[in-house]
Amino acid sequence: MNEKITIYCDGRCGRSVTLRKNKIQKCDYYICDSKESRDICKSKLPKRKNGMIEIHTFNAVAHFQGISYKYPNEKEKVNITRAKKNLKIGLLKISINNRNYENN
Ligand SMILES: [Zn+2]
């Protein structure tokens, strides 16, 4: 009924976690939490397609992080546009502040 399942890190480092099926949060990929290799493991995942967003689920399976790719819905598209605009404004402010600093 509530069988245990072993999930392996999709970065192919060999690390795994075993847990009950009902404790698994469904994600496209799972990455270990190893400080030494998690960045390398993440870099081995298939690349997301242009226009897709990446969703991170912390502790998706025990201490493994879950990663899913999807195309943004309308609400997410609005948030992305706003975030990009805020980033541009922020960078512009930094640039102006630096210029003022250099002129003093
Ligand atoms: Zn790994």
Side-chain angles (χ1 to χ4, degrees):
M1 209 74 179
N2 205 354
E3 61 189 295
K4 286 193 169 184
I5 289 186
T6 298
I7 304 273
Y8 288 90
C9 173
D10 284 309
R12 300 186 298 274
C13 66
R15 290 182 178 85
S16 67
V17 285
T18 300
L19 71 171
R20 292 187 193 284
K21 203 175 178 178
N22 67 348
K23 299 280 185 194
I24 296 172
Q25 295 186 63
K26 182 84 184 84
C27 296
D28 295 340
Y29 307 102
Y30 298 101
I31 291 294
C32 67
D33 66 338
S34 156
K35 273 186 185 150
E36 305 87 60
S37 71
R38 68 181 165 214
D39 292 339
I40 298 165
C41 291
K42 190 176 179 305
S43 73
K44 289 182 182 172
L45 294 182
K47 300 293 169 224
R48 73 189 139 104
K49 292 192 179 106
N50 208 3
M52 286 182 137
I53 58 173
E54 190 173 304
I55 297 164
H56 293 236
T57 306
F58 292 98
N59 304 321
V61 289
H63 49 275
F64 277 26
Q65 182 181 166
I67 295 176
S68 297
Y69 298 152
K70 65 171 252 187
Y71 288 102
N73 61 30
E74 287 310 311
K75 191 180 170 193
E76 289 161 340
K77 280 182 192 169
V78 170
N79 288 339
I80 291 166
T81 304
R82 187 184 309 133
K84 281 182 179 172
K85 192 177 140 198
N86 287 340
L87 176 64
K88 272 185 196 163
I89 292 169
L91 291 175
L92 194 61
K93 281 182 180 171
I94 290 170
S95 157
I96 290 168
N97 286 342
N98 282 345
R99 195 175 314 144
N100 289 342
Y101 179 77
E102 284 162 12
N103 290 341
N104 285 341

